[in-house]
Amino acid sequence: MAITRIYLDDDALRRTMAISGVYTEQEAVNLALRFFTQHATPEDLEHPIHARTAQAS
């Protein structure tokens, strides 16, 4: 496991922790990353969600 220093959306982090029931920020981030990658589709790999959202704006 790598140590990474990142800035997080505090509100999103608190909501993630409340919804998931995890107790640490690290658990919340790891859970969110696993959830996101497990629910990705082949289209997401070819056309990342961020790119699709930016084009729609």
Side-chain angles (χ1 to χ4, degrees):
M1 188 174 299
I3 296 176
T4 303
R5 186 178 181 137
I6 57 175
Y7 293 99
L8 300 172
D9 178 327
D10 290 332
D11 186 49
L13 180 60
R14 281 193 302 274
R15 286 182 289 152
T16 299
M17 292 174 75
I19 291 167
S20 66
V22 298
Y23 296 104
T24 69
E25 294 173 353
Q26 180 177 335
E27 288 175 307
V29 171
N30 284 329
L31 180 66
L33 290 171
R34 283 190 213 101
F35 182 87
F36 190 80
T37 56
Q38 288 173 353
H39 291 86
T41 66
E43 180 186 6
D44 297 328
L45 296 172
E46 291 181 27
H47 306 286
I49 293 169
H50 180 64
R52 293 192 311 244
T53 305
Q55 290 173 353
S57 297

